[in-house]
Amino acid sequence: MYKRENTKQVHIGKVTVGRGANVSVQSMTKTFTQDIETTIAQINELAFSGCEIIRCAVPDIQAAKALKEICSRSPIPVVADIHFDYKLALEAAKYVHGLRINPGNIGSDERVKAVVEAAKEHCLPIRIGVNSGSLPHGLDNSYTLAEQLVEAALREIERLHKFDFDDIKISAKAFDIPTTEQAYLALARKVPYPLHVGITEAGTGYSGLIRSSVGIGSILSQGIGDTIRVSLATPPIEEVRAGWEILKSLNLRQKGVSIIACPTCGRAQAEIKNLALQIEEAFRTIDKPLKIAVMGCSVNGPGEAVAADLGIACGEGKGLLFVRGQKIAVIIEKDYITALLEQALLF
Ligand code: SF4
């Protein structure tokens, strides 16, 4: 797949972003940041599930100060999410690995300059997070929304350039997928900075997953995007799992098990949905990339799942265990998961 390679690299703590680096999975805590223990617990859970960069909301000075301990204990880099009050950015900059500011609401050049000086002092990149719901004033209303997103981002890049700062990452999110896609395509052509891709306020679990997958997937599939976040109104662990599934679907990253479950049909001899979920759960802590097929019949199953590393083609009460399309044993139903785990160790 084509990958935009002419980007500047930035470093968010230990994570390299841009030019040749992996596309990273990002999420955002949904705790009160000043509740340090709860926030740390959520970050640990997300890191364990594959989150590589975490963003924390900084609504007040208590939250900004809490970042000191949160960052010292977080296993992954922390980005402070700042709106309106530039002083919060100045406090957070002492502790975090990156800043995200919304250009529409930070205010005067003096305030932006103060944030830039803090970022320089602490070697932090700044993400300019443009959002269709909070565009700055003064944009040309005759522009399309995509053009306004781009214009807002370019203006803020100019402001940071004015203070001799280019350690920049950009996002330009909207709810509408074609709008978001147009904005990212334009930005990819116009600026050398890495791009953080997401669909804003994508929605609840089901519709949000589909909207985010289509939107983020369509942009990534054009070789554009350096970090992603799937924004969902669900526990953030779902965002991380979805992010990884999007990257795995596009062969951009590999991590853990991908379950290939047949859709079942009139030939099915077993209940596949629960079995597939049980297998997925049993393999959740295994990072080794593996494709495991769970097929509903033993006649067509192995052939239909020839691309899988291993799998079970289920008959009545027993099934064929197969490895790379070759049948290797007949297994009784209660031993399916054990047999798959044993085979996985051999890969
Ligand atoms: Fe139907 Fe068997 Fe194919 Fe599943 S594997 S869809 S049960 S033919």
Side-chain angles (χ1 to χ4, degrees), residues 26 197 208-209 212 216 228-232 238-240 242-243 246:
Q26 192 167 324
V197 179
L209 272 176
S212 284
I216 295 172
I228 61 169
R229 179 195 173 197
V230 180
S231 302
L232 296 174
E238 298 300 326
E239 298 187 356
V240 175
I246 292 170

Side-chain angles (χ1 to χ4, degrees), residues 3 10 12 15-18 21-27 52-53 79 127 169-171 173 184 194-198 216 219-220 224-230 247 253:
K3 174 137 175 55
V10 302
I12 305 171
V15 178
T16 301
V17 174
N22 284 329
V23 179
S24 301
V25 175
Q26 192 167 324
S27 187
E52 295 169 303
I53 300 168
V79 173
R127 170 154 74 91
K169 187 166 79 157
I170 311 289
S171 63
K173 300 182 184 178
Y184 276 93
L195 298 173
H196 172 73
V197 179
I216 295 172
I219 294 166
L220 288 177
I224 294 167
D226 300 283
T227 59
I228 61 169
R229 179 195 173 197
V230 180
L247 296 182
R253 304 276 305 267

Side-chain angles (χ1 to χ4, degrees), residues 110-298:
E110 288 67 33
R111 292 176 177 188
V112 173
K113 184 180 180 194
V115 174
V116 166
E117 293 305 327
K120 282 184 187 172
E121 181 184 348
H122 298 285
C123 299
L124 305 179
I126 294 178
R127 170 154 74 91
I128 296 172
V130 181
N131 197 306
S132 61
S134 54
L135 285 168
H137 297 299
L139 295 171
D140 189 334
N141 282 336
S142 68
Y143 283 11
T144 65
L145 180 55
E147 289 167 339
Q148 290 185 47
L149 287 164
V150 172
E151 183 61 23
L154 294 178
R155 279 190 192 183
E156 294 311 312
I157 291 168
E158 257 328 292
R159 285 176 100 186
L160 298 191
H161 283 176
K162 194 158 74 180
F163 304 118
D164 196 25
F165 189 86
D166 66 354
D167 212 3
I168 297 170
K169 187 166 79 157
I170 311 289
S171 63
K173 300 182 184 178
F175 177 75
D176 181 65
I177 291 173
T179 297
T180 312
E181 191 176 358
Q182 287 160 24
Y184 276 93
L185 285 173
L187 283 168
R189 282 193 292 267
K190 287 175 187 285
V191 298
Y193 299 116
L195 298 173
H196 172 73
V197 179
I199 302 297
T200 196
E201 292 135 16
T204 55
Y206 183 72
S207 60
L209 272 176
I210 293 174
R211 178 170 286 274
S212 284
S213 302
V214 172
I216 295 172
S218 69
I219 294 166
L220 288 177
S221 66
Q222 297 177 68
I224 294 167
D226 300 283
T227 59
I228 61 169
R229 179 195 173 197
V230 180
S231 302
L232 296 174
T234 63
I237 198 164
E238 298 300 326
E239 298 187 356
V240 175
R241 288 178 184 153
W244 272 102
E245 288 306 318
I246 292 170
L247 296 182
K248 285 158 67 176
S249 301
L250 291 167
N251 292 334
L252 286 169
R253 304 276 305 267
Q254 294 302 328
K255 177 181 181 298
V257 165
S258 299
I259 300 291
I260 302 166
C262 88
T264 77
C265 68
R267 295 184 190 84
Q269 295 172 301
E271 204 287 308
I272 292 300
K273 182 183 162 202
N274 285 337
L275 177 60
L277 289 173
Q278 286 168 17
I279 293 171
E280 192 168 53
E281 198 53 43
F283 279 79
R284 192 166 305 282
T285 57
I286 295 177
D287 268 354
K288 194 184 294 183
L290 278 177
K291 290 190 175 71
I292 298 182
V294 189
M295 310 305 281
C297 71
S298 53

Side-chain angles (χ1 to χ4, degrees), residues 28-29 33-34 55-67 78-85 87-89 91-92 96 98-100:
M28 189 167 183
T29 50
T33 304
Q34 56 269 48
R55 181 157 52 110
C56 296
V58 186
D60 53 34
I61 196 67
Q62 285 75 28
K65 289 183 182 300
L67 288 170
V78 178
V79 173
D81 188 77
I82 310 287
H83 289 257
F84 299 109
D85 188 348
K87 289 183 184 160
L88 301 178
E91 178 66 22
V96 295
L99 297 171
R100 183 264 175 161

